[in-house]
Amino acid sequence: MAEQDQAGQERAYLWRLHRILALYVAGVLGFLLLMTWAERQGLSRHWIGPIFLFLSVMVYAGIGVYGRTTDADEYYVAGRRIPPMYNGMAAAADWMSAASFISLSGALYLQGFSGTPGHAGGLAYLLGWTGGFCLVAILVAPHLRAMGLYTIPDFFHVRFGGRWPRVIAALAAVVCSFTYVVAQIYGVGLIASRLTGVQFEIGIMLGLGGVLLCSFLGGMRAITWTQVAQYVVLLLAFLIPVSWLAYKQLGNPVAPLMYGKQIEKIADLEAQLLASPAEYQVVAAYLERARDYEARLQNVELALEDERVAMQDKLRRLRAQNADIGLIVAASRELAALPRDAATARERWTRLMRENYERAQPLGGLPPHSRAFAGYPDGTPEEQVMFTESRRNFLALMFCLMVGTAGLPHLLTRYYTSPTVAGARSSVAWSLFFIALLYLSAPALAVLVKFEVMNNLVGSSFDQLPNWMAQWARVDASLLSIEDMNHDGIVQFGEIHLGSDLIMLATPELGGLPYVVSGLVAAGGLAAALSTADGLLLTISNALVRDLYFQGRPRNASPEQRVILTKFTLLAVALAAAFVAALKPADILPLVTASFSLAASAFVPVMVLGIFWRGTTRQGAVAGMLCGLGLAAYYMLSHVPAVRGVLPHWLLADGSLWFGIQPISAGVFGVPAGLLSALVVSWLTRPAPPQPTARLEM
């Protein structure tokens, strides 16, 4: 009888959740229709963006306030009562970060399926991230849920005992999660600055307020339901523009089934561009500019002084001639923008030289979209080497993303919230389903956008460029730049530079959709970044408070006091991540990929051995985590110019690539190192088998 009552309560609870979700979806669609009507009635674009930003953050904050709690079980694992479907939606939102929503289609646009010599093809991200959930379902999630823990370092403490496995796991969780969260807050600042028109740094602080309101008060309980709401927004924000482009170009809104036709058309357009004399004029102009920077680098001090003197003379002439004030202001800005010293000039000119050499290639340096790998297996020796390394980097990146998925602490903690072990398995299946809805459309979006650019934007006049291009260029020149290199007044494909973080956000404007859809896409990107940032910040604060502060020495504190300390630690970490993100350390996708390599190297070998092999010892676990994480971090840092200039030379290698593998795929070295060291040290430190008791005869 009690079991029937409990089952009835669970069904009633589930139906109540379904009703709330249906009302929420209806409310989102109704709001979109209302904003579309308001735009047609004359509502300014300057109001639409802030409205989307403000209402999105307020809805998420309202859920966070409603879900506030100081109960430890609710704060850390949402009371372990999240139904599998909703857990899958939350995991999908947690997973589809700013990298998936904003940058994945951009990577496919810029790198095609084959990739470039320095970057593996964007298809590796789709295959690696999706395949990683199979590893999560088979190797990790059910076993961790069965142990009834709170955090990933808890597993290392319970399984291996002692202090050091938990401490190392907590520090590794902080390192890889902090790298990940910086990328998310960078995306938040990018979107907030575009929606409101404020500076990038102010946009970061605006978005950060939404992150804190969601995760500060309610922990995992509030984050879970916030992520369910965010998944609805980001799914609509992705599918509406890609379906519109597919219908506009192909007459069918089901983009994943139809975009193959556009690949053939893109191949024809690429052939036309490769035969265009105007495109070769652009290539020659970029090559000349790159050689100019190369010449300056021969004597940086003299070149900098000559350029400063020339600009000062130009400014004096303009003032003496009473020239137009705009020309004088522009000349003054050019003079102020000059590097202040030779070291700064060398760094800037080296970067510009490399960028211009990359642009001084056919198709603006982009590979043919449908080519399988960079280079050619039957081409010149250089092309054969390029083909081999491209294929190797594709497989290495896919490996790191798959294994890293099975080791990300913020993702694995999500399955602690399932009611049962079977619920954890079902949650992974639902996660795959909800992720596939977006991932199947990402390659289609890249193809449709590239066709739109090649077919409509290329060949237009510079005098008739749309306003949205100038607006995005003001946000960040690395996102969008366009310059008439051959001075013919016509846009050539090689003159257009679109950053990977721009493709998805600019799709509605590129396709001619109402500006409301642009606001929706930006809100979807904001939801993707906020949902992941919430889980990451909670993971970092849990590791610092639960796994380091309270485990280092005995401390008398109630569960409520621990929760309060975790909240304030979360606030401090969020501010630190915002400071680092404001420095714009790298694009979103490389930062996220680096965190996957670190998580794969630090956690997965020891975690899998600890689950499936009883012979794994505490010493083996410590050695495995240190060796895996240390080798991966070493390989990444040895290729960062800023780090190479600070650390001792004996600590860093000569900067050459191992087997041609790019630094972001460092996990391909860290995972085997961690696995091998854990096996060897466990074998050497395994306890001696008990000796049979001999019968004593007196």
Side-chain angles (χ1 to χ4, degrees):
M1 195 67 181
E3 293 179 357
Q4 292 179 353
D5 292 341
Q6 184 177 1
Q9 292 175 359
E10 291 178 356
R11 284 194 298 270
Y13 173 64
L14 196 59
W15 277 111
R16 184 165 63 89
L17 293 179
H18 292 340
R19 287 194 298 271
I20 294 173
L21 178 63
L23 290 173
Y24 173 74
V25 173
V28 172
L29 294 175
F31 172 72
L32 290 177
L33 293 175
L34 177 63
M35 293 299 296
T36 303
W37 175 82
E39 182 181 3
R40 290 182 176 179
Q41 296 300 312
L43 181 64
S44 171
R45 294 187 173 191
H46 299 294
W47 284 102
I48 293 176
I51 288 173
F52 269 95
L53 175 66
F54 177 77
L55 285 184
S56 297
V57 173
M58 287 301 99
V59 168
Y60 306 147
I63 298 174
V65 172
Y66 179 78
R68 65 189 184 276
T69 181
T70 56
D71 180 80
D73 207 43
E74 292 284 348
Y75 190 85
Y76 293 120
V77 290
R80 305 191 197 276
R81 55 189 178 87
I82 306 300
M85 189 188 84
Y86 292 92
N87 209 13
M89 292 180 71
D94 200 352
W95 177 248
M96 288 187 293
S97 62
S100 292
F101 187 90
I102 299 176
S103 301
L104 183 56
S105 296
L108 285 160
Y109 175 94
L110 296 176
Q111 302 167 14
F113 297 143
S114 64
T116 62
H119 301 88
L123 200 59
Y125 292 95
L126 283 176
L127 297 175
W129 281 337
T130 306
F133 273 90
C134 299
L135 298 181
V136 172
I138 297 171
L139 298 179
V140 181
H143 304 281
L144 294 182
R145 174 59 187 87
M147 299 178 71
L149 306 175
Y150 285 110
T151 65
I152 297 303
D154 277 345
F155 165 80
F156 290 90
H157 175 71
V158 172
R159 170 61 180 83
F160 300 109
R163 178 186 177 190
W164 283 109
R166 185 170 196 158
V167 169
I168 296 171
L171 293 175
V174 171
V175 169
C176 63
S177 298
F178 190 82
T179 306
Y180 207 144
V181 80
V182 166
Q184 306 313 307
I185 294 180
Y186 175 87
V188 168
L190 189 67
I191 296 166
S193 62
R194 176 66 181 94
L195 281 177
T196 60
V198 300
Q199 291 183 349
F200 175 78
E201 293 77 10
I202 299 176
I204 284 180
M205 301 311 297
L206 289 175
L208 192 63
V211 176
L212 294 175
L213 285 172
C214 296
S215 55
F216 181 79
L217 296 174
M220 185 60 78
R221 176 185 175 184
I223 288 172
T224 297
W225 300 117
T226 302
Q227 287 172 342
V228 171
Q230 288 164 339
Y231 176 80
V232 173
V233 174
L234 68 90
L235 184 66
L236 291 174
F238 201 94
L239 292 185
I240 288 176
V242 71
S243 300
W244 174 278
L245 277 181
Y247 183 77
K248 175 184 175 183
Q249 296 179 13
L250 299 164
N252 190 324
V254 187
L257 301 180
M258 303 300 297
Y259 78 97
K261 297 179 180 179
Q262 299 303 79
I263 296 179
E264 300 175 3
K265 297 178 182 178
I266 287 175
D268 294 337
L269 291 171
E270 288 172 343
Q272 296 175 19
L273 293 173
L274 291 172
S276 170
E279 291 290 340
Y280 279 100
Q281 293 173 5
V282 174
V283 169
Y286 277 116
L287 187 60
E288 181 181 357
R289 183 178 291 181
R291 288 171 177 169
D292 177 60
Y293 284 118
E294 189 174 13
R296 296 186 197 183
L297 291 171
Q298 301 301 318
N299 192 334
V300 177
E301 292 82 0
L302 180 61
L304 181 60
E305 184 61 28
D306 290 346
E307 190 169 354
R308 182 176 288 110
V309 170
M311 287 190 177
Q312 290 172 347
D313 291 342
K314 177 182 176 181
L315 186 60
R316 280 195 295 268
R317 287 197 307 271
L318 290 173
R319 287 173 175 168
Q321 297 170 1
N322 292 324
D324 183 76
I325 188 64
L327 296 175
I328 296 176
V329 171
S332 301
R333 288 177 178 173
E334 288 181 10
L335 181 61
L338 274 178
R340 297 183 178 276
D341 51 44
T344 306
R346 180 177 290 104
E347 180 184 353
R348 182 185 300 179
W349 291 346
T350 301
R351 174 177 53 81
L352 291 172
M353 180 191 69
R354 291 173 179 170
E355 290 177 358
N356 281 278
Y357 270 126
E358 290 176 2
R359 300 286 297 277
Q361 301 289 333
L363 300 178
L366 303 188
H369 197 90
S370 58
R371 191 170 64 184
F373 295 103
Y376 296 96
D378 301 324
T380 64
E382 292 79 9
E383 290 175 336
Q384 292 178 14
V385 171
M386 191 183 301
F387 177 81
T388 302
E389 291 187 353
S390 173
R391 186 169 53 176
R392 188 181 299 154
N393 273 287
F394 186 95
L395 296 174
L397 178 59
M398 192 168 65
F399 171 82
C400 292
L401 296 173
M402 287 183 65
V403 181
T405 301
L408 281 177
H410 78 282
L411 180 66
L412 297 179
T413 304
R414 163 60 51 204
Y415 300 107
Y416 285 164
T417 63
S418 298
T420 61
V421 174
R425 290 194 180 95
S426 299
S427 297
V428 177
W430 278 109
S431 301
L432 270 173
F433 170 75
F434 288 121
I435 289 171
L437 293 179
L438 185 145
Y439 272 13
L440 290 175
S441 300
L445 180 64
V447 170
L448 296 173
V449 168
K450 182 168 283 190
F451 179 80
E452 195 75 21
V453 170
M454 287 183 168
N455 195 55
N456 297 328
L457 188 58
V458 173
S460 61
S461 172
F462 270 90
D463 297 334
Q464 299 176 353
L465 288 177
N467 293 330
W468 64 266
M469 299 188 73
Q471 292 168 352
W472 274 112
R474 284 196 296 268
V475 173
D476 191 342
S478 64
L479 293 175
L480 188 150
S481 64
I482 182 169
E483 184 180 359
D484 191 3
M485 295 296 295
N486 62 348
H487 307 290
D488 63 351
I490 303 299
V491 177
Q492 310 298 333
F493 186 74
E495 295 171 337
I496 306 170
H497 171 71
L498 300 177
S500 62
D501 297 340
L502 174 75
I503 301 299
M504 179 63 214
L505 296 176
T507 293
E509 294 161 309
L510 184 65
L513 275 73
Y515 190 73
V516 167
V517 182
S518 297
L520 174 64
V521 168
L526 188 68
L530 291 177
S531 62
T532 306
D534 290 336
L536 289 165
L537 289 173
L538 184 62
T539 297
I540 296 172
S541 58
N542 286 346
L544 292 174
V545 175
R546 279 184 52 84
D547 302 311
L548 289 178
Y549 181 75
F550 282 106
Q551 296 297 327
R553 57 185 62 88
R555 301 180 189 276
N556 295 323
S558 65
E560 290 77 13
Q561 291 173 327
R562 297 190 180 203
V563 168
I564 293 172
L565 182 58
T566 302
K567 291 181 178 182
F568 285 99
T569 305
L570 187 148
L571 175 63
V573 172
L575 293 175
F579 173 78
V580 176
L583 301 177
K584 301 180 181 178
D587 290 339
I588 294 174
L589 207 56
L591 282 173
V592 170
T593 308
S595 68
F596 276 80
S597 282
L598 294 174
S601 305
F603 293 113
V604 177
V606 175
M607 188 183 301
V608 173
L609 284 177
I611 291 173
F612 294 101
W613 184 40
R614 293 184 178 181
T616 313
T617 64
R618 182 189 311 167
Q619 296 86 343
V622 170
M625 285 189 286
L626 289 178
C627 290
L629 180 62
L631 185 61
Y634 166 81
Y635 189 65
M636 288 182 187
L637 294 175
S638 65
H639 294 87
V640 178
V643 176
R644 292 179 63 83
V646 175
L647 296 181
H649 293 290
W650 60 268
L651 190 60
L652 299 175
D654 59 358
S656 59
L657 297 176
W658 298 349
F659 306 103
I661 302 297
Q662 294 297 322
I664 59 172
S665 301
V668 80
F669 304 114
V671 171
L675 182 64
L676 183 62
S677 56
L679 286 171
V680 171
V681 174
S682 294
W683 183 76
L684 293 175
T685 59
R686 67 190 190 282
Q691 297 295 328
T693 305
R695 180 179 297 177
L696 297 179
E697 294 184 2
M698 299 299 296

